């Protein structure tokens, strides 16, 4: 998603605030000019920033470039935050909303008494804004959308952001002798795609020592609460971490209780009540009130006649019945992943060279790596022409010799045009080892046309994997309108694998749909979609999402060895090359 408009609005807000402060007119002008030029820019500003090329934008000097960089990387700009504090505007929070500058914020406060984003959203929904001078219906609609998005964003944290913070806290506290056991709890432990709060559970006989250490950890910016067993802090990243300390004897029941989900716990308690027993955070109790188990989760599940349920499955989607029948899936694990199937290099919009990506994949213990740079119509990502693709192939051949037995496969992430045709001609697709197809443009289609578009793409016999099938960007863009059931039916029919993209804001295919894909016999491709060596670690989030979708190693394409992968690709293409009539047609 292009962020040019967002950045332009930010710079305009700065200019307006500087005007109120009576700052140097040249300085004000510089921000206005930069904003104009960014708006006129054809390229995505985030792409430019990633390549360190911001100062190539006319009118953007080093100082402004640094500010844009900071804003794009962290989502906020210190300079702007300070400026807002210095300038007296009653409704300063409203400046967060793209489309609202200081003048409009002032008007909203004067006319409607609005000071918060929540009030703004309500006023927009009640159509009170369009009557104000200079607003109009279009702006009102847009403000409603942006305000809703902001409210959403402040509510949920991405798993890929929250878990590393939680793990840093867990690691630090593990060193404390008073800490007997410690785990992240809640949706974080279930590896849910977004989470509300960071909850950490500790088992200890000396809670005071744990609390004292916790509130003095180096990552603490502010202590929010200092209860004897329930302290709460704000980290330097402004994330709230809640700690809960329980006695080691009750650690298992507390962990079960605080891991959730609520739906899982309710279903579990119903089961317990049928026996006349009781389950709480303090333990499992029989009819006479005697405690039967509380020390570990395993004991509790076992007493209920169940296998221990991995946290990722605790959503009441059939895991309780499966655990009772001892038929839980043996979930795929990250160490079973033998290569990555989706990675970009600096041949297109990746940050690192092909060779560095290969070295990084080797360092992660992989057997192979699929290089999948963008196709030509994605100009912002400098997609590869067929000529450059062949040039890249020569480099890959060379590196394959140098890095043997490690294997590099040449793939591409090929754009699906609005009509469902692909961005390379068939003869070019035929030369590639792996063809991933993705939607990167024209997201606003009616569901029927979008579905037809993707299904048509999948019908191309060269296609191996469908990339990020819903197109959602968590907290930023809703999935496009599409009939996913029809897409999965087509994937099953054509034998196309479906990606579970591990970018923390994608996690696409989403977990519920992973489960439905597997039920159709579709092969899952766990990928990092890395745009840098470091991002190869996104594989963790992909595997987590696949696990939440009940995936076992046998369902995942890249748990296969290189030889098995190549055999799968060959077999799948060979099967598709056969005329349609001879193909075994399934349920449809
Ligand atoms: Zn993509
Ligand atoms: Zn990609």
């Amino acid at each position: 998603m292009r962020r040019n408009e967002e950045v332009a609005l930010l710079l305009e807000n700065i200019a307006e605030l500087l005007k109120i402060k009576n700052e140097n007119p040249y300085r004000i002008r510089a921000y206005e000019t930069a904003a104009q030029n960014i708006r006129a820019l054809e390229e995505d500003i985030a792409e430019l920033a990633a390549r360190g090329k911001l100062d190539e934008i006319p009118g953007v000097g080093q100082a402004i470039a640094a500010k844009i960089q900071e804003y794009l990387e962290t989502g906020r700009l210190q300079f702007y935050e300070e400026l807002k504090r210095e300038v007296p505007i009653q409704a300063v929070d409203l400046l967060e909303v793209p489309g609202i500058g200081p003048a409009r914020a002032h008007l909203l406060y004067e006319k409607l008494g609005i000071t918060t984003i929540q009030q703004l959203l309500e006023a927009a929904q009640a159509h009170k804004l369009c009557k104000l001078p200079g607003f109009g219906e279009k702006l009102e609609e847009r403000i409603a959308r942006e305000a809703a998005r902001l409210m959403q964003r402040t509510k949920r944290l991405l798993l890929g952001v929250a878990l590393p913070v939680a793990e840093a806290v867990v690691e630090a506290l593990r060193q404390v002798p008073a800490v007997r056991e410690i785990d992240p709890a809640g949706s974080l432990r279930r590896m849910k795609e977004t989470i509300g709060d960071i909850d950490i559970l500790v088992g200890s006989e000396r809670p005071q020592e744990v609390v004292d250490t916790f509130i003095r950890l180096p990552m603490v910016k502010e202590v929010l609460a200092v209860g004897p067993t329930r302290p709460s802090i704000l980290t330097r990243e402004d994330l709230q971490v809640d700690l809960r300390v329980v006695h080691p004897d009750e650690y298992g029941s507390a962990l079960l209780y605080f891991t959730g989900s609520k739906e899982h716990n309710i279903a579990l308690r119903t089961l317990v009540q049928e026996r006349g027993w009781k389950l709480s955070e303090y333990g499992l109790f029989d009819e006479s009130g005697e405690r039967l188990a509380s020390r570990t989760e395993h004991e509790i599940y076992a007493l209920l006649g169940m296998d221990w349920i991995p946290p990722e499955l605790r959503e009441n989607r059939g895991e309780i019945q499966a655990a009772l029948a001892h038929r839980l899936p043996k979930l795929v694990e990250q160490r079973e992943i033998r290569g990555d199937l989706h990675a970009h290099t600096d041949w297109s919009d990746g940050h690192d060279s092909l060779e560095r990506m290969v070295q990084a994949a080797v360092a992660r213990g992989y057997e192979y790596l699929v290089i999948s740079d963008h196709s030509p119509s994605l100009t912002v990502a400098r997609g590869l022409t067929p000529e450059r693709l062949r040039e890249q192939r020569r480099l890959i051949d060379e590196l394959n010799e140098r890095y043997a037995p490690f294997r590099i496969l040449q793939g591409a992430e090929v754009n699906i045009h609005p009509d469902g045709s692909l961005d390379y001609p068939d003869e070019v697709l035929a030369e590639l080892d792996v063809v991933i197809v993705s939607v990167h443009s024209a997201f606003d289609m009616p569901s029927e046309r979008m579905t037809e578009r993707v299904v048509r793409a999948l019908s191309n016999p060269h296609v191996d994997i469908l990339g990020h099938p819903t197109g959602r960007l968590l907290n930023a863009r809703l999935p496009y309108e599409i009939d996913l059931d029809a897409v999965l039916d087509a994937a099953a029919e054509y034998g196309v694998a479906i990606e579970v993209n591990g970018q923390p804001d994608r996690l696409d295919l989403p977990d519920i749909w992973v489960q439905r894909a597997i039920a159709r016999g579709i092969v899952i491709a766990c990928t990092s979609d890395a745009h840098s060596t470091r991002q190869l670690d996104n594989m963790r989030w992909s595997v987590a999402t696949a696990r939440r979708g009940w995936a076992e190693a046998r369902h995942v394409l890249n748990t296969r060895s290189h030889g098995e992968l190549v055999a799968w690709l060959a077999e799948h293409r060979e099967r598709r090359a056969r005329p349609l009539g001879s193909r075994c047609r399934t349920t449809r």
Side-chain angles (χ1 to χ4, degrees):
M1 193 183 55
R2 282 162 55 99
R3 299 181 65 185
N4 301 26
E5 179 64 14
E6 187 188 334
V7 172
L9 286 166
L10 173 76
L11 298 182
E12 280 174 354
N13 281 0
I14 291 174
E16 287 201 57
L17 289 168
L18 293 175
K19 271 183 215 161
I20 298 173
K21 279 187 72 190
N22 262 331
E23 280 272 355
N24 180 338
Y26 289 105
R27 194 162 172 228
I28 296 168
R29 191 83 202 103
Y31 281 97
E32 289 174 341
T33 309
Q36 268 166 24
N37 291 336
I38 286 166
R39 205 168 261 132
L41 205 62
E42 297 215 343
E43 241 183 308
D44 183 350
I45 193 157
E47 307 279 0
L48 278 176
R51 298 208 308 274
K53 298 272 167 67
L54 284 175
D55 52 10
E56 282 182 17
I57 304 169
V60 174
Q62 262 182 10
I64 294 183
K67 292 190 176 74
I68 297 173
Q69 193 87 36
E70 183 192 335
Y71 178 75
L72 287 173
E73 274 172 18
T74 64
R76 66 202 290 279
L77 176 60
Q78 196 58 38
F79 171 71
Y80 182 53
E81 299 302 323
E82 279 163 20
L83 206 53
K84 283 193 290 186
R85 270 199 293 277
E86 288 166 27
V87 179
I89 299 177
Q90 272 87 353
V92 75
D93 280 354
L94 303 187
L95 297 178
E96 297 295 327
V97 182
I100 297 186
R104 283 187 177 139
H106 185 68
L107 191 72
L108 286 165
Y109 173 73
E110 282 275 285
K111 299 282 180 200
L112 301 173
I114 295 172
T115 56
T116 68
I117 292 172
Q118 170 86 48
Q119 290 166 344
L120 180 68
L121 178 61
E122 285 163 9
Q125 283 166 344
H127 301 293
K128 287 184 186 160
L129 303 189
C130 58
K131 293 171 194 120
L132 294 179
F135 272 78
E137 240 167 272
K138 254 183 121 178
L139 183 63
E140 184 184 68
E141 245 171 61
R142 169 150 180 231
I143 287 174
R145 209 167 49 234
E146 294 290 354
R149 190 174 64 88
L150 276 171
M151 305 261 315
Q152 178 73 15
R153 190 164 65 189
T154 49
K155 261 190 276 172
R156 307 292 299 179
L157 272 170
L158 296 181
L159 173 68
V161 172
L163 192 55
V165 171
E167 284 174 341
V169 174
V170 166
E171 270 325 296
L173 287 181
R174 237 190 254 289
Q175 317 302 321
V176 183
V179 172
R180 286 266 293 274
E181 276 149 311
I182 181 164
D183 286 283
S187 44
L188 204 49
R189 184 162 178 247
R190 304 199 314 277
M191 304 293 266
K192 208 165 175 265
E193 57 207 18
T194 60
I195 61 150
D197 294 304
I198 300 178
D199 295 309
I200 295 175
L201 186 70
V202 172
S204 173
E205 282 157 331
R206 306 198 299 277
Q208 196 55 53
E209 270 178 66
V210 179
V211 173
D212 287 347
T213 316
F214 175 64
I215 59 172
R216 286 182 184 81
L217 288 176
M219 59 277 269
V220 175
K221 180 174 142 188
E222 203 182 325
V223 177
L224 302 173
V226 227
T229 57
R230 295 178 59 177
S232 199
I233 57 118
L234 204 62
T235 69
R236 292 190 189 285
E237 299 90 349
D238 280 326
L239 302 183
Q240 185 175 335
V241 181
D242 300 334
L243 198 72
R244 189 181 291 261
V245 189
V246 300
H247 194 276
D249 286 347
E250 292 167 355
Y251 190 73
S253 46
L255 187 59
L256 182 62
Y257 181 85
F258 290 114
T259 297
S261 65
K262 200 184 269 162
E263 292 74 20
H264 177 85
N265 286 354
I266 289 171
L268 214 52
R269 275 206 300 276
T270 312
L271 200 80
V272 168
Q273 278 158 11
E274 278 165 16
R275 307 183 179 207
W277 292 356
K278 210 185 129 226
L279 178 65
S280 72
E281 58 180 292
Y282 305 107
L284 177 64
F285 301 86
D286 69 10
E287 44 278 77
S288 68
E290 196 188 329
R291 187 149 81 182
L292 303 172
S294 62
R295 184 79 193 74
T296 69
E297 286 186 343
H298 281 84
E299 287 170 14
I300 296 170
Y301 279 120
L303 275 169
L304 296 172
M306 300 163 85
D307 293 334
W308 177 81
I309 301 177
E312 292 94 328
L313 296 185
R314 299 184 195 172
E315 300 290 344
N316 196 25
R317 292 185 198 144
E319 74 278 9
I320 290 178
Q321 294 77 357
L324 283 167
H326 307 293
R327 276 209 299 267
L328 281 169
K330 195 190 168 305
L331 298 180
V332 59
E333 288 178 36
Q334 199 176 348
R335 55 177 177 74
E336 295 176 295
I337 298 291
R338 295 166 84 162
D340 202 327
L341 299 168
H342 185 165
H344 298 269
T345 72
D346 61 5
W347 283 70
S348 67
D349 63 345
H351 186 266
D352 291 306
S353 71
L354 209 156
E355 182 163 9
R356 288 208 50 211
M357 291 299 284
V358 169
Q359 290 166 342
V362 172
R364 280 160 181 77
Y366 288 154
E367 279 174 38
Y368 52 86
L369 175 67
V370 175
I371 298 296
S372 55
D373 278 311
H374 288 286
S375 63
S377 75
L378 204 63
T379 47
V380 290
R382 298 188 306 134
L384 271 59
T385 59
E387 293 70 39
R388 291 194 68 224
L389 207 55
R390 286 182 191 117
E391 217 179 293
Q392 190 191 49
R393 168 69 84 175
R394 283 193 287 277
L395 173 62
I396 287 177
D397 288 344
E398 202 183 297
L399 293 177
N400 262 329
E401 266 178 45
R402 224 181 312 148
Y403 286 89
F406 185 86
R407 302 305 297 171
I408 309 150
L409 289 87
Q410 190 183 32
E413 184 175 13
V414 184
N415 285 347
I416 303 175
H417 293 156
D419 67 355
S421 62
L422 298 179
D423 205 21
Y424 285 126
D426 280 358
E427 60 271 22
V428 174
L429 297 176
E431 289 172 20
L432 292 165
D433 301 319
V434 178
V435 174
I436 303 171
V437 291
S438 304
V439 170
H440 284 128
S441 64
F443 302 111
D444 294 329
M445 279 187 169
S447 171
E448 208 167 295
R449 279 187 55 213
M450 185 60 100
T451 308
E452 270 172 34
R453 172 186 186 181
V454 173
V455 168
R456 179 171 170 217
L458 298 187
S459 76
N460 183 308
H462 299 288
V463 171
D464 304 303
I465 299 172
L466 172 62
H468 44 73
T470 78
R472 72 172 180 180
L473 290 177
L474 294 165
N475 289 344
R477 186 174 74 208
L478 293 172
Y480 37 69
E481 298 290 329
I482 193 165
D483 179 355
L484 264 189
D485 277 307
V487 170
L488 292 188
D489 284 344
E493 183 179 348
Y494 296 123
V496 173
I498 301 264
E499 174 180 67
V500 178
N501 188 300
Q503 292 262 355
D505 62 349
R506 286 194 184 272
L507 302 183
D508 185 8
L509 200 62
D511 49 25
I512 318 176
W513 288 96
V514 172
Q515 203 170 2
R516 296 183 191 167
I518 289 172
R520 285 169 166 90
I522 294 170
V523 175
I524 297 298
C526 283
T527 77
S528 68
D529 193 6
H531 284 68
S532 68
T533 52
R534 222 173 39 135
Q535 286 184 8
L536 285 169
D537 296 332
N538 285 345
M539 184 60 79
R540 182 180 184 192
W541 317 123
S542 172
V543 171
T545 305
R547 286 169 62 89
R548 286 180 52 83
W550 292 55
E552 304 187 12
R554 66 194 168 96
H555 301 130
V556 177
L557 184 56
N558 42 325
T559 56
R560 289 162 168 81
S561 68
H562 172 258
E564 289 164 341
L565 172 68
V566 170
W568 182 87
L569 290 164
E571 187 195 297
H572 139 91
R573 288 199 187 182
E574 194 265 332
R575 184 167 80 91
R576 302 190 62 190
R578 272 182 246 144
L580 200 77
S582 72
R583 218 173 41 222
C584 201
R585 299 197 48 120
T586 46
T587 47
R588 289 206 334 144

